Amino acid sequence: MVKIMIIAENRTVELGSAGTIQVKSGSLPKSLYQHQNTAIQKLNIINRSPFKGLLVLPTGGGKTLTAVHWLLQNFINKHKKVLWIAHRHELLNQAFNTIVDSSYSELLSDRTNFRYRIISGSNEHDIPVNIQATDDIIIASKDSLNSGMDYLLNKWANNLDEVLLVVDEAHHATAKTYRKVIHALEESKPRTFKMLGLTATPFRTAIDEGGLLKQIFPDDIIFKEDLRSLITIGILADPIFEELPTKLEIYNDLLPKHIKAIQAFDNIPEDIAIRIATSCERNNQIVDQYFNNIEKYKQLIVFAINKVHASALNGLFNEKGEARGINFKSQLVLADITDAATGVKISGKTNALAIQEFRNGQTNVLVNVNILTEGVDLPNLQTVFLTRPTTSTIFMTQMIGRALRGEKAGGTKEAFIVSFIDDWKNKINWVNPEKLIESEGTFSETTKERDTSIVRLISIEEMEKFAVMMDTTIDTFALEKLDFLKRMPLGIYKFSILEHLELQEDLGNKNYEVLLYDDTEQAYEDFINDLSSLFESLTIGDREELNSQELEALFTKVKIEYFANFHSLTGYRDEDIKNILRYYAQNEKKPDFLAFKNRKDCDLAKVASHIYDKGLGGVARTEYVNSLWENRQNFWQVLFGYEKRYFKQQLDIEIYKIEEPEKYEQTHIKASVEHDRVDIHSLPLSEIKERDFDYYRKLKDSIYAKHTDTNGDITCAISGVKSKRRLDFQIDHIKPMAKGGLSTIDNLQVLSRKAHTEKTRQQNLARNSVA
């Protein structure tokens, strides 16, 4: 008989995501700047009692380092616990590395070591079940904590006297999963809970979201420093922006589906990306620009559009450097992939060596796709070449940030940010790096700029209709028959959902826009305002995502109740409803609405009337139409996607509708009329809506707010019936307009539909009896 011997072995492996950090004796190798020390002084003051506030420093201002120094000295050193949360894996690693690099006895005089644990969905990190009571600092993704909240509370938080929660990129803290973590920790420590949010742009979105952020961080901004101040004192380099137009025309290749994909994902379609990457003329322009200014630009990082582009540029840099007979070297820094040009696999070690040689001055140029956006210290970097455009303000900020290390921080006095601009005919809302720096991410657009952005989004939708109307084989009479202005949206619901994007492991923001038209306005208004009550029927708890069954069931309910038998030539898509439901599930707030304030300026029917009334024909008509098209103060080029043929075709339709009024059921008034001006409140609500849609919405919201109690219940002014849904009510004039009543807040009330019907019936009876 063969005996089988089983040997029990005690085998262990090293786990990089948990362990003990040994405190190094002595002083920190690098001191904080004055603004960071001032921030710490402010934090020390507010730390005397529980608080929930924000530390706001621009990109490159050292907010992570400032927060780490403060929490090590004031919490870890005093044997108190810290939870640090973020939504991206690289932010967790960045925080951990900063903590390790700052663990000196100067900050930790009473500790020789302390425990850490990094938790996320990545294989390189730990999981919540392994949390231990001895962990001093937990660095975790918010999603992992939400799925393992019981372990966080029962094995760690519930046993503590005091806890500090640090929320990285705190402008995302309005999401439900962030709020769940915050609420759970605060509930466990109601008298000692402290929370510090870190962000570069706390109010980068709409006012109402800024208001929600203020609710989460009621102590507001504890300390803030602006970017221009850090440039002035030399901590950040002074950016010098250069724009170099290329001769590459992209706009002819762009279809509406391409534009939608770029705006949503910041991904340039593969065929267009290849065309850009393989353009010899464009690549030579990029490389020649560097060599013609090599004394000015010095060390350079190039952000390429893809791996093929990076390889092509790297080869061209080295080829032209060798031809010039100078001591020159360019290297690739790419992810762990096989080089498209050489077939050689580029490893992480190869990247690290290339970066180190760049630091040592042995390499002049590093060419990469997006690997050098964060966490790489390159003090001698002088110039960044942006050879790919982006719609992402975060990505643009990261690319620019590589070169913004100032003289006091061991960098340069000036940094050159060079953009290579292809001809997209402004079809894409690319981020302008100079404007981004000037606004410091706050996006304080003028009405004109905002409306141009709205028109650009409208154009993406309208271009498909224009293309269909150009096809003579398709009957588009019903669409043509609509008043042109009715085809222009009243505005846009604009929002983003934090979700897993294609080909990305981490979460990212995907942008969505829902266009609001005249015929969908009331249905959308009722739906949006009733979102809270609609979700009361679900038991999703703290989950941010609806499963497919929940989403479909809720969508079906919404479609039946708000969009039943809805037939529209414009403005309705099932996917828009589903996306709004997904957004509300994640954020528990209504999507932002941007009113198109200059909508009336896009009335092509008025242009047609002018041409008809003035009898413009031949050369006069051509010159007038061309002057409209070329005038950059109006919206025509943006609206028609810079396709003049669409503009002319639609104008011809509008003129024909005037010339053939019997066919289009229209009449034409040739007489010149001077209209009186009246107080807008003397108009019925329907007319106010036409004249000033933004004010109309504010007026309606104010009326409903007047009749809504603290529980969110709307109360009928006559019957006292209560409901949380606006769909159940109508706005009514207290004193009828026929008797001199105005459309003002004090003369408007909310009635249930039943009460409104009964009131109307009684008024009709009274009128009939008088008659």
Side-chain angles (χ1 to χ4, degrees):
M1 181 181 291
V2 178
K3 292 184 179 180
I4 300 175
M5 183 178 292
I6 299 176
I7 301 174
E9 294 185 62
N10 291 322
R11 303 184 66 181
T12 61
V13 294
E14 188 175 272
L15 182 66
S17 57
T20 302
I21 297 175
Q22 301 295 333
V23 177
K24 299 177 281 288
S25 62
S27 300
L28 289 156
K30 182 181 175 182
S31 300
L32 295 181
Y33 299 112
Q34 181 58 49
H35 74 281
Q36 292 172 306
N37 285 320
T38 302
I40 286 177
Q41 291 170 12
K42 296 285 188 181
L43 289 169
N44 287 338
I45 294 171
I46 201 167
N47 189 40
R48 294 168 185 167
S49 57
F51 71 90
K52 290 181 283 186
L54 293 161
L55 171 62
V56 182
L57 293 176
T59 300
K63 58 183 176 295
T64 301
L65 183 63
T66 303
V68 165
H69 275 222
W70 178 72
L71 70 85
L72 287 178
Q73 189 168 41
N74 291 276
F75 286 83
I76 301 301
N77 189 50
K78 296 178 181 179
H79 297 270
K80 298 176 182 179
K81 307 286 188 173
V82 176
L83 173 62
W84 183 299
I85 61 172
H87 74 280
R88 291 188 291 142
H89 298 159
E90 66 265 24
L91 292 175
L92 305 181
N93 292 332
Q94 178 182 310
F96 172 69
N97 291 332
T98 304
I99 290 167
V100 172
D101 293 342
S102 304
S103 294
Y104 281 81
S105 58
E106 180 182 344
L107 297 175
L108 297 158
S109 56
D110 293 333
R111 300 293 295 264
T112 58
N113 59 63
F114 60 96
R115 295 277 306 165
Y116 77 93
R117 191 173 305 276
I118 310 174
I119 297 171
S120 80
S122 171
N123 291 332
E124 67 177 295
H125 295 152
D126 208 347
I127 55 178
V129 70
N130 293 325
I131 290 175
Q132 297 177 14
T134 55
D135 293 336
D136 293 295
I137 183 165
I138 296 175
I139 308 166
S141 71
K142 51 102 177 178
D143 286 334
S144 294
L145 287 186
N146 271 282
S147 61
M149 184 62 69
D150 289 343
Y151 299 111
L152 177 72
L153 296 177
N154 297 330
K155 300 178 72 171
W156 192 73
N158 289 344
N159 303 317
L160 305 177
D161 294 326
E162 183 179 334
V163 66
L164 170 70
L165 173 62
V166 179
V167 183
D168 206 351
E169 295 200 351
H171 48 275
H172 289 299
T174 56
K176 191 193 294 184
T177 43
Y178 274 104
R179 285 185 277 138
K180 179 185 174 183
V181 176
I182 294 167
H183 180 71
L185 279 184
E186 189 171 15
E187 285 254 304
S188 70
K189 297 286 165 292
R191 292 186 298 276
T192 59
F193 178 68
K194 298 177 178 180
M195 179 169 63
L196 176 64
L198 309 179
T199 183
T201 53
F203 306 115
R204 63 187 304 152
T205 52
I207 294 173
D208 62 337
E209 185 162 326
L212 185 57
L213 196 64
K214 179 67 183 293
Q215 293 175 29
I216 296 168
F217 295 95
D219 290 298
D220 209 350
I221 296 173
I222 301 168
F223 178 81
K224 182 180 186 295
E225 186 63 271
D226 62 73
L227 183 142
R228 185 52 58 184
S229 296
L230 298 185
I231 292 173
T232 301
I233 61 179
I235 293 172
L236 296 182
D238 192 4
I240 298 174
F241 296 94
E242 298 178 1
E243 287 190 355
L244 301 173
T246 72
K247 296 180 180 180
L248 201 61
E249 295 183 349
I250 306 296
Y251 63 92
N252 286 326
D253 299 331
L254 277 179
L255 299 174
K257 65 177 182 179
H258 294 148
I259 300 174
K260 288 180 182 178
I262 293 171
Q263 292 293 159
F265 296 104
D266 194 34
N267 286 340
I268 296 175
E270 184 177 359
D271 54 341
I272 296 177
I274 290 175
R275 185 179 167 212
I276 296 174
T278 57
S279 170
C280 292
E281 184 176 3
R282 186 180 191 272
N283 289 344
N284 274 284
Q285 178 187 4
I286 292 167
V287 176
D288 289 342
Q289 178 67 22
Y290 175 74
F291 281 113
N292 291 340
N293 298 276
I294 192 169
E295 294 302 320
K296 178 175 75 171
Y297 290 154
K298 298 184 174 65
Q299 283 196 300
L300 165 73
I301 283 182
V302 180
F303 286 96
I305 194 168
N306 56 21
K307 299 164 194 171
V308 173
H309 192 211
S311 296
L313 287 174
N314 183 60
L316 198 56
F317 270 112
N318 283 316
E319 179 185 317
K320 294 204 173 191
E322 184 178 350
R324 289 173 180 255
I326 60 176
N327 183 20
F328 179 86
K329 186 177 183 180
S330 174
Q331 293 197 74
L332 279 173
V333 178
L334 297 175
D336 192 11
I337 51 93
T338 300
D339 186 299
T342 65
V344 176
K345 191 162 186 175
I346 301 175
S347 68
K349 291 183 179 179
T350 304
N351 284 340
L353 179 60
I355 292 170
Q356 189 55 52
E357 289 183 352
F358 188 83
R359 287 196 190 100
N360 296 340
Q362 300 166 270
T363 297
N364 306 79
V365 176
L366 288 181
V367 185
N368 83 115
V369 179
N370 60 12
I371 201 171
L372 294 176
T373 55
E374 288 187 318
V376 180
D377 186 21
L378 302 169
N380 298 321
L381 178 63
Q382 180 78 57
T383 305
V384 168
F385 273 15
L386 306 175
T387 71
R388 64 145 295 171
T390 179
T391 62
S392 168
T393 56
I394 292 175
F395 187 35
M396 178 60 77
T397 302
Q398 290 170 340
M399 289 191 292
I400 295 172
R402 292 303 92 213
L404 289 185
R405 183 167 175 172
E407 284 184 304
K408 288 187 177 179
T412 59
K413 181 179 180 180
E414 298 174 332
F416 295 95
I417 312 297
V418 185
S419 301
F420 293 85
I421 311 297
D422 304 309
D423 190 358
W424 300 80
K425 287 291 184 192
N426 288 325
K427 288 186 176 182
I428 310 293
N429 191 25
W430 299 119
V431 176
N432 181 313
E434 184 170 7
K435 183 177 178 183
L436 178 64
I437 290 294
E438 287 175 353
S439 65
E440 297 186 38
T442 55
F443 310 114
S444 53
E445 295 178 311
T446 64
T447 299
K448 174 71 175 179
E449 290 169 333
R450 186 206 58 214
D451 274 1
T452 299
S453 299
I454 292 175
V455 174
R456 187 179 282 111
L457 293 171
I458 293 169
S459 173
I460 296 172
E461 302 293 331
E462 293 300 314
M463 286 288 286
E464 294 176 339
K465 299 190 187 84
F466 297 151
V468 169
M469 293 170 75
M470 290 287 286
D471 187 347
T472 57
T473 66
I474 300 175
D475 184 6
T476 58
F477 177 74
L479 187 59
E480 294 174 14
K481 186 177 174 180
L482 286 175
D483 291 343
F484 189 84
L485 203 58
K486 294 289 185 182
R487 287 160 47 191
M488 293 296 102
L490 297 160
I492 292 177
Y493 287 106
K494 186 174 175 60
F495 54 95
S496 62
I497 301 176
L498 201 61
E499 59 188 54
H500 288 282
L501 304 182
E502 295 178 13
L503 305 178
Q504 293 189 28
E505 182 181 356
D506 278 342
L507 293 171
N509 281 309
K510 182 180 177 184
N511 300 319
Y512 293 94
E513 295 89 21
V514 176
L515 276 61
L516 185 69
Y517 294 85
D518 282 283
D519 52 358
T520 57
E521 186 271 330
Q522 188 61 55
Y524 265 109
E525 182 182 352
D526 290 338
F527 162 51
I528 295 292
N529 283 290
D530 292 347
L531 279 167
S532 177
S533 59
L534 284 168
F535 271 77
E536 287 180 355
S537 62
L538 291 178
T539 55
I540 65 171
D542 294 312
R543 284 188 290 117
E544 286 185 341
E545 294 185 7
L546 299 168
N547 61 42
S548 57
Q549 292 82 7
E550 290 169 334
L551 180 59
E552 196 60 37
L554 195 53
F555 162 70
T556 302
K557 177 181 175 69
V558 169
K559 190 164 186 179
I560 291 172
E561 292 193 15
Y562 297 86
F563 298 92
N565 303 315
F566 202 86
H567 298 290
S568 173
L569 293 168
T570 57
Y572 176 80
R573 291 181 303 195
D574 288 352
E575 286 305 308
D576 289 340
I577 303 300
K578 292 179 179 179
N579 288 333
I580 289 173
L581 291 171
R582 292 198 302 121
Y583 173 77
Y584 190 84
Q586 184 174 102
N587 297 276
E588 290 185 326
K589 66 180 291 291
K590 296 185 291 185
D592 298 328
F593 181 78
L594 303 176
F596 184 14
K597 292 185 179 296
N598 288 318
R599 177 175 179 251
K600 288 186 179 294
D601 294 339
C602 290
D603 191 355
L604 202 60
K606 286 188 176 180
V607 177
S609 293
H610 177 81
I611 291 173
Y612 185 87
D613 291 344
K614 298 297 182 182
L616 298 182
V619 174
R621 173 172 168 171
T622 299
E623 289 179 348
Y624 176 65
V625 171
N626 287 342
S627 69
L628 289 176
W629 182 254
E630 298 299 331
N631 185 355
R632 296 302 177 93
Q633 296 303 309
N634 59 44
F635 298 101
W636 298 121
Q637 289 196 18
V638 180
L639 177 63
F640 286 94
Y642 298 86
E643 293 283 357
K644 191 175 182 180
R645 60 196 177 107
Y646 290 162
F647 173 65
K648 293 177 67 177
Q649 184 239 18
Q650 293 298 309
L651 181 57
D652 288 343
I653 290 172
E654 294 302 314
I655 292 173
Y656 186 54
K657 285 160 68 174
I658 296 173
E659 292 175 337
E660 300 287 344
E662 67 284 352
K663 183 175 180 180
Y664 286 94
E665 301 172 5
Q666 290 188 0
T667 57
H668 181 69
I669 301 173
K670 297 183 179 181
S672 176
V673 179
E674 184 176 340
H675 301 286
D676 288 341
R677 298 191 66 84
V678 297
D679 186 334
I680 195 169
H681 299 101
S682 67
L683 303 176
L685 284 175
S686 59
E687 186 66 19
I688 293 176
K689 172 184 170 182
E690 285 293 321
R691 304 278 182 159
D692 190 338
F693 184 70
D694 197 30
Y695 179 71
Y696 161 78
R697 288 178 66 90
K698 291 176 182 176
L699 183 60
K700 288 188 72 173
D701 286 343
S702 297
I703 298 160
Y704 274 105
K706 185 174 71 171
H707 291 269
T708 303
D709 61 26
T710 55
N711 295 322
D713 289 318
I714 304 168
T715 304
C716 172
I718 292 178
S719 67
V721 168
K722 294 179 180 290
S723 173
K724 287 184 168 61
R725 305 195 315 164
R726 285 196 184 184
L727 184 66
D728 298 331
F729 298 93
Q730 288 182 286
I731 292 179
D732 172 73
H733 285 78
I734 299 170
K735 181 180 180 181
M737 297 199 75
K739 295 184 178 180
L742 299 176
S743 297
T744 55
I745 293 177
D746 59 352
N747 191 49
L748 292 169
Q749 62 186 352
V750 172
L751 299 184
S752 70
R753 291 186 179 275
K754 183 178 179 180
H756 187 268
T757 300
E758 178 59 23
K759 180 183 176 184
T760 303
R761 189 182 72 82
Q762 293 292 340
Q763 288 175 338
N764 290 335
L765 285 174
R767 278 197 297 269
N768 292 335
S769 64
V770 172

